Amino acid sequence: MTVVGAADRPAPPEARFHALFARHYPAVFGYALRRVGRDEAGDATAEVFTVAWRRIERVPAEPETLPWLYGVARRVLANQERAARRRLRLEARAAASPGAADEAPGTARVDVEAALLRLGPADREVLRLAAWEELQPAEIAAVLGCSANAAAVRLHRARQRLAGEMTREVPS
């Protein structure tokens, strides 16, 4: 007969969630903050932890927890971005008037942020995961839902495209 001690029992969901929240809130908030700014980062982070609470039984154990939370945050932010684009399109259609003035061309400048914005969303995300979150390819793979090799290849190609955009002169 095996006696199960208190240390052998899994933590109740509430305790597990509180520990997860206390440990990872700053990192998840920082992830969102660097992508959308302070106002929207709080909402996005709250939504990430709401998902974590609802799926607490499916949240992986450490050290896979933070990459899993980043993956949730990535999807939350993508949903917010899609909603914002829909609002902007609706506003643009409502405010559209014939003969709107074209923007005046500016001077050419090499700007990392501008070069990053000229990349596709997938390239921007893999570069941000590597630079801002300081994740390794295996961790990036967990966030993106791909293999470590695929993440390493995506990161390499995104870095090449960013370098190409940095050398390209574009009017601002």
Side-chain angles (χ1 to χ4, degrees):
M1 169 158 59
T2 306
V3 177
V4 177
D8 296 333
R9 280 187 233 126
E14 295 84 5
R16 183 162 182 237
F17 177 78
H18 287 294
L20 173 137
F21 184 86
R23 181 170 185 178
H24 296 298
Y25 180 88
V28 173
F29 181 78
Y31 176 96
L33 179 66
R34 287 183 288 276
R35 285 160 177 77
V36 296
R38 184 165 298 282
D39 294 338
E40 291 148 4
D43 291 341
T45 304
E47 192 168 339
V48 168
F49 283 100
T50 299
V51 170
W53 169 247
R54 287 183 187 144
R55 298 179 182 170
I56 194 68
E57 298 302 324
R58 288 185 255 158
V59 175
E62 296 295 342
E64 291 86 25
T65 306
L66 185 58
W68 185 87
L69 289 169
Y70 283 155
V72 172
R74 179 174 175 259
R75 288 183 287 282
V76 164
L77 293 172
N79 288 339
Q80 287 182 347
E81 186 177 326
R82 277 191 296 277
R85 281 195 312 262
R86 278 193 302 272
R87 278 192 304 275
L88 286 173
R89 282 194 306 268
L90 287 172
E91 289 171 7
R93 275 188 268 176
S97 61
D102 292 332
E103 291 184 29
T107 60
R109 70 182 228 213
V110 175
D111 182 359
V112 175
E113 188 174 348
L116 190 62
L117 289 173
R118 289 191 300 270
L119 296 176
D123 284 343
R124 286 194 305 265
E125 183 62 11
V126 74
L127 289 168
R128 287 173 176 158
L129 288 169
W132 291 352
E133 310 315 325
E134 299 178 353
L135 298 183
Q136 297 301 311
E139 296 166 315
I140 292 170
V143 174
L144 299 179
C146 64
S147 71
N149 284 343
V153 169
R154 289 179 189 182
L155 179 58
H156 174 74
R157 290 178 180 165
R159 285 177 173 155
Q160 286 181 324
R161 285 190 277 273
L162 179 61
E165 287 298 326
M166 295 284 297
T167 60
R168 193 175 121 206
E169 289 188 21
V170 175
S172 59

